[in-house]
Structures are given as structure tokens and as C-alpha cells.
Amino acid sequence: MKTHLAPWESNNFFIPAYLLNSQVLLFSFSLLFSILEDKIYKIFIELVEARELVEKNSKKQTQNLEDIAHQIKTPITSMFFDLEMIDKDEDNKKEIEGLELQLERLNSLADILLKLSSLDANVDKMEKNEVLISEIIEYALDILRKSIDEKNIKIIFDYEDSEIKVDYYWVSEALINIIKNALSLDRLTKIKISTNKNPIYTEIIIEDDGGGIKEENFKKIFERFYKSPDSKGFGIGLAMAKSIIEANNGDISVKNGKDGAIFKIKFYNVT
């Protein structure tokens, strides 16, 4: 007589139906759970190892950025000193001033790389505290005051002050980068800063009249090191701003308005 097997399979062996009593079932379940536990543990170990590798690579990348920045700044400092020792006259004044501008640009790049490495190292360690929006905006504008005055840019305020729970230093840096991006536009004459608050989020809106953003640049504008053909920057500022805002329970978007770009920054009311 042919023995019929039940549709029960565990670890590639079959159990006859007539042996499927409670003890066998308990043994089978115990064996199955043991196998599953072993596989889950192995997956967990693989995930931990993968995370450690990512963190290790991230720390290495951060260190590399810091090393590059310091290697750039050392000769720049020396060259600034050498230029100061040269007597300016009508023959070399223009050339020296051109060299000083180039050195200032390289020095700015080194500073950005240092900030970038610091951000990468601390993106999960934001020190969030209640801070007034006005304090962040005023600090950002004070940092950029020289450029604003030199370009004779009009700043328009239209907002009600309120508190947001963010990292004051880093969110200020994000606003500086967004406003600095506007200040690089040749057609710019004014920047408007306004806010919007509701039970879900608090929004900071930065509008400019610099002509707007080309359609093909919208998808890449927040990518690190992406530069539009007419850009005067390094392609880092807006990417940094996005990373900072997202690390502070927020998001950022951009669209074109009537006269220029409109950046909207939302900070969600997370308790």
C-alpha cells in the first residue's frame, strides 16, 4: 500500500501524515523557528556591517574634504601675504587686484568645503532649540550685509515672527546660501522674505526678481556640485541648504514667480 505524504515540508524532508501528532508538530515548529531565527540573525549582522561600512566611508569622505580644504587654505594664506608685500602702482594695480579676487574665490571654496565636511559629520546631530525666525533672518542678512549694500539690493520684509525648533547655526547657514544664490544674479534688485504658519508647518518664503530659473535646471538645482552654465558659484550652496533643512524636519522647494525664483522652506511642527 502506498503511503501518502501530507503537504508539509521542512528543510527538504517530508513528514508522513500518520506521524503528524502534537509532539512531531512541536518539534517541527521548533526546528523551523530555529532556522528562521538563524536567518534573521544573519540578516541583522549583514545590515549592521553594511551600516558600519557606510559610516566608515562617510567619515573617510568627510576627512578627505577637510584635508583638501586645509591644503587649499595654506598656500592661499601665504599668497595673500606675498601680495600684501608687493607695492602697488599704476602698472600692476589691476593685475594684483585680479589676483586678490581669485584668491578670495579660492578661499571661499575652501571655507565651503570645510562647512560641507562639518555638515556631513553632523547631519544627524542637529542641536534643535526653539528660536525666533527673525533672529535667523537677521543673522543671515548681517553676514551678507556687505554684498547687499554693494549691490544696492532692497530687502522687503512681510512676516509675523514666530518660533521654530531648529538648529540655529545650520538653518542660518541654509538661509545664507539661498540668499547668496539670489545675490549672484545680475538682474537682481530686490529680495522679499515672508512667512506662513499653520498647525502643520511654519514656512519661510524667499522671493527674488533675478529672472527665475530655466526649466531644465529645476530637477538638478539642489544636487551637490551642479552648476548651471551661467552660475558664478561652486554648485554647493543650495545642496547644503537642502540637506540642512531636511535634517531639521523640513523640506525646500522652488518655482518661478512673475519676476524671479521663489524658494519655499517648510519646517514641520514635530513634537
Side-chain angles (χ1 to χ4, degrees):
M1 182 176 178
K2 187 176 180 181
T3 301
H4 294 282
L5 300 178
W8 177 269
E9 183 181 0
S10 176
N11 202 26
N12 296 323
F13 64 86
F14 290 90
I15 302 173
Y18 62 84
L19 291 178
L20 287 178
N21 54 37
S22 60
Q23 287 184 336
V24 173
L25 280 173
L26 287 172
F27 172 77
S28 300
F29 280 128
S30 176
L31 180 62
L32 182 60
F33 287 143
S34 178
I35 293 169
L36 287 173
E37 184 181 29
D38 184 60
K39 288 185 177 180
I40 290 169
Y41 179 74
K42 286 179 180 178
I43 291 171
F44 174 75
I45 294 298
E46 288 174 1
L47 289 172
V48 170
E49 289 175 347
R51 180 177 176 81
E52 288 176 350
L53 181 61
V54 169
E55 289 177 352
K56 183 178 178 181
N57 289 337
S58 178
K59 288 178 181 177
K60 186 176 180 181
Q61 181 183 18
T62 299
Q63 187 61 53
N64 287 341
L65 281 173
E66 289 180 357
D67 290 345
I68 292 169
H70 285 299
Q71 288 170 17
I72 292 172
K73 287 186 78 71
T74 301
I76 288 173
T77 303
S78 177
M79 292 170 74
F80 267 125
F81 179 76
D82 290 341
L83 282 176
E84 289 177 0
M85 299 297 289
I86 300 174
D87 293 328
K88 289 183 183 180
D89 56 39
E90 292 301 320
D91 294 330
N92 64 17
K93 183 179 179 181
K94 189 174 181 180
E95 185 177 354
I96 290 174
E97 288 176 350
L99 288 171
E100 287 175 343
L101 285 174
Q102 290 296 322
L103 285 174
E104 285 175 6
R105 182 173 169 80
L106 284 173
N107 197 47
S108 295
L109 175 58
D111 288 338
I112 289 171
L113 288 175
L114 284 171
K115 287 178 181 178
L116 195 60
S117 64
S118 179
L119 174 62
D120 287 344
N122 295 285
V123 71
D124 295 325
K125 303 172 186 175
M126 294 287 165
E127 295 183 8
K128 301 184 183 81
N129 295 294
E130 296 289 343
V131 58
L132 289 170
I133 290 176
S134 60
E135 292 178 1
I136 296 173
I137 293 172
E138 287 169 9
Y139 176 77
L141 292 176
D142 282 344
I143 295 296
L144 299 170
R145 181 60 57 193
K146 184 179 178 182
S147 295
I148 292 170
D149 291 344
E150 285 177 352
K151 296 175 181 288
N152 196 28
I153 304 301
K154 183 179 181 181
I155 306 295
I156 302 169
F157 299 104
D158 182 22
Y159 66 87
E160 292 184 8
D161 207 2
S162 60
E163 288 187 335
I164 52 177
K165 192 171 185 178
V166 297
D167 187 302
Y168 172 80
Y169 169 77
W170 282 114
V171 171
S172 297
E173 184 66 31
L175 261 65
I176 288 168
N177 288 337
I178 294 167
I179 297 169
K180 189 186 291 184
N181 181 72
L183 290 171
S184 68
L185 303 172
D186 293 330
R187 295 170 53 182
L188 183 76
T189 63
K190 62 183 178 182
I191 296 172
K192 181 181 177 182
I193 302 173
S194 57
T195 61
N196 177 37
K197 185 177 176 65
N198 61 47
I200 300 173
Y201 59 79
T202 301
E203 185 177 49
I204 301 174
I205 304 161
I206 301 174
E207 304 176 56
D208 66 62
D209 64 348
I213 300 164
K214 293 180 181 178
E215 191 68 29
E216 60 268 25
N217 294 334
F218 272 107
K219 290 183 179 180
K220 298 181 179 180
I221 193 168
F222 293 113
E223 290 182 8
R224 190 173 288 188
F225 301 114
Y226 173 75
K227 289 175 58 178
S228 60
D230 55 346
S231 174
K232 298 175 183 177
F234 300 106
I236 300 175
L238 292 180
M240 277 185 65
K242 184 176 186 292
S243 295
I244 292 166
I245 291 162
E246 289 177 349
N248 282 273
N249 304 319
D251 63 44
I252 182 171
S253 61
V254 62
K255 66 178 183 179
N256 280 332
K258 181 181 177 182
D259 301 312
I262 303 174
F263 285 85
K264 292 189 175 183
I265 306 163
K266 295 178 181 177
F267 294 106
Y268 294 94
N269 302 327
V270 179
T271 56

